[in-house]
Amino acid sequence: MKQLTTQQRQKIKACYQRHWLYSHLYSPAKEMERRLSTLRISPEELFVECMGQLDLFLDDPEAYLPIGRSLYDDYYCELRERGNLSTTEKEVERGSVELCFVLNYLFSAIEEEILAISVTSHLTESLINYPETYAELSQWLEPKLWVASQTRFFEELGRYVDAKPHLSATIEKQLMEWNEGPSTSQVDEKSQSEGEIYSNRQVVILFQELLNISLSAEDTNIKELARYIHKVTGRNVETIRTNIKRLNKAYDVSNIDINRITKDLEQFSPELAKAIRARYD
């Protein structure tokens, strides 16, 4: 989940305040943010996360199922890293349950997508493992989601699913433009798409091969790896972390990515290019 800067939050709010999902989630999300003592999960961060997860599902519903199974654990680990010394385990649990609760609501509203039911089943299983927090959320959050504006929410969600646009890609580009960090961390998405520079995904694959490491959190400190790649490349840390996690959960690495990397490496290190290609054949 992306941790947004003040400027990014302000820009998201200004740009998407009338969006069917942002406007629907804003009020309950603001109360969720207030109820957390030290962690911050802003309405803008929740909106960006929901759009990202929704597009990831729509891209390939079957491939999304293992991602859905581990959402609670992913959020718990991310929020634990985000917290400070005064952040309690209970608050991390509460934040993780809240995120899963909202995503469960979102996926349960998707019609005619059988695999969406599987996702909600996994999310519900995660939620019932924390009955006290889940019951509390159900009591105050669920009524706030099922409000008068839900008619527009269902209609717009249905149109979005049928059209299958990729708003999250647009948001990703906007967040990079609105990043408050140095300009070196703002990678030109147009240059990436035209093949002038490596995409964030390709950068992660290259570092994985050069360092000969696993992208599993059980084997590698993903947070520090993302920071290291940021130091070397200037890429946004959160974007790199997201790509690491997606690659770790993907069944296959795209041949397009491997061919691009190895073709470039062949110009000065043909043996390395051959070894990398052999690992993916």
Side-chain angles (χ1 to χ4, degrees):
M1 185 179 67
K2 294 184 182 301
Q3 188 168 9
L4 305 183
T5 66
T6 300
Q7 176 173 291
Q8 287 171 330
R9 292 197 303 272
Q10 291 172 345
K11 291 286 190 178
I12 286 289
K13 184 175 183 179
C15 187
Y16 293 102
Q17 58 183 333
R18 295 188 178 180
H19 185 273
W20 59 270
L21 181 59
Y22 180 87
S23 60
H24 187 70
L25 292 179
Y26 181 80
S27 180
K30 202 63 182 175
E31 185 171 348
M32 284 168 55
E33 182 182 11
R34 177 178 61 78
R35 285 172 176 256
L36 294 173
S37 301
T38 62
L39 293 172
R40 162 172 282 192
I41 304 175
S42 67
E44 294 73 34
E45 289 169 333
L46 181 63
F47 167 69
V48 171
E49 178 64 14
C50 285
M51 291 308 306
Q53 294 294 340
L54 178 58
D55 281 351
L56 201 58
F57 172 80
L58 295 177
D59 283 343
D60 192 338
E62 188 171 351
Y64 184 83
L65 292 182
I67 297 175
R69 292 190 189 99
S70 64
L71 276 173
Y72 178 86
D73 291 336
D74 286 343
Y75 289 140
Y76 187 94
C77 294
E78 289 183 26
L79 293 179
R80 185 172 56 187
E81 288 183 3
R82 186 185 291 200
N84 55 43
L85 293 176
S86 60
T87 303
T88 64
E89 182 179 346
K90 186 66 176 177
E91 184 174 5
V92 175
E93 174 193 308
R94 182 185 182 87
S96 305
V97 170
E98 287 179 350
L99 288 166
C100 288
F101 191 98
V102 173
L103 281 175
N104 199 24
Y105 168 78
L106 177 61
F107 279 107
S108 67
I110 298 177
E111 297 181 351
E112 299 180 3
E113 282 282 1
I114 297 176
L115 290 175
I117 299 175
S118 297
V119 175
T120 60
S121 297
H122 294 313
L123 287 169
T124 301
E125 288 177 9
S126 297
L127 291 169
I128 62 178
N129 287 328
Y130 308 92
E132 183 179 339
T133 306
Y134 184 28
E136 181 187 355
L137 278 176
S138 299
Q139 185 175 5
W140 74 265
L141 181 55
E142 192 166 358
K144 292 180 180 296
L145 291 171
W146 293 91
V147 293
S149 61
Q150 73 181 42
T151 300
R152 177 179 175 239
F153 164 74
F154 278 109
E155 291 176 350
E156 294 291 346
L157 175 60
R159 280 193 280 268
Y160 189 85
V161 170
D162 290 339
K164 293 190 177 181
H166 299 282
L167 181 60
S168 57
T170 299
I171 293 174
E172 178 73 20
K173 181 178 179 180
Q174 290 173 322
L175 290 176
M176 295 185 73
E177 294 173 351
W178 299 331
N179 187 18
E180 291 179 329
S183 58
T184 54
S185 68
Q186 299 177 0
V187 179
D188 186 348
E189 291 284 345
K190 185 173 183 292
S191 296
Q192 287 189 26
S193 64
E194 292 178 351
E196 296 175 11
I197 59 176
Y198 283 175
S199 68
N200 290 313
R201 177 187 178 92
Q202 290 167 347
V203 166
V204 171
I205 294 171
L206 178 61
F207 271 80
Q208 178 189 19
E209 293 301 322
L210 293 178
L211 298 174
N212 191 25
I213 57 175
S214 165
L215 296 182
S216 169
E218 296 178 357
D219 304 318
T220 304
N221 187 325
I222 301 304
K223 181 178 180 181
E224 291 304 318
L225 174 60
R227 286 178 176 174
Y228 178 71
I229 295 176
H230 163 70
K231 288 179 181 179
V232 176
T233 66
R235 303 293 177 98
N236 182 275
V237 174
E238 289 302 318
T239 302
I240 291 296
R241 287 179 62 183
T242 299
N243 277 273
I244 291 173
K245 291 175 181 177
R246 287 180 178 176
L247 279 167
N248 182 41
K249 292 175 180 177
Y251 291 111
D252 298 299
V253 174
S254 170
N255 286 331
I256 297 175
D257 294 329
I258 297 302
N259 290 338
R260 169 77 192 283
I261 292 170
T262 55
K263 182 179 179 181
D264 290 340
L265 287 174
E266 281 176 346
Q267 305 304 312
F268 57 89
S269 184
E271 290 185 359
L272 177 59
K274 181 179 179 181
I276 293 175
R277 189 178 290 112
R279 284 194 283 273
Y280 291 92
D281 284 344

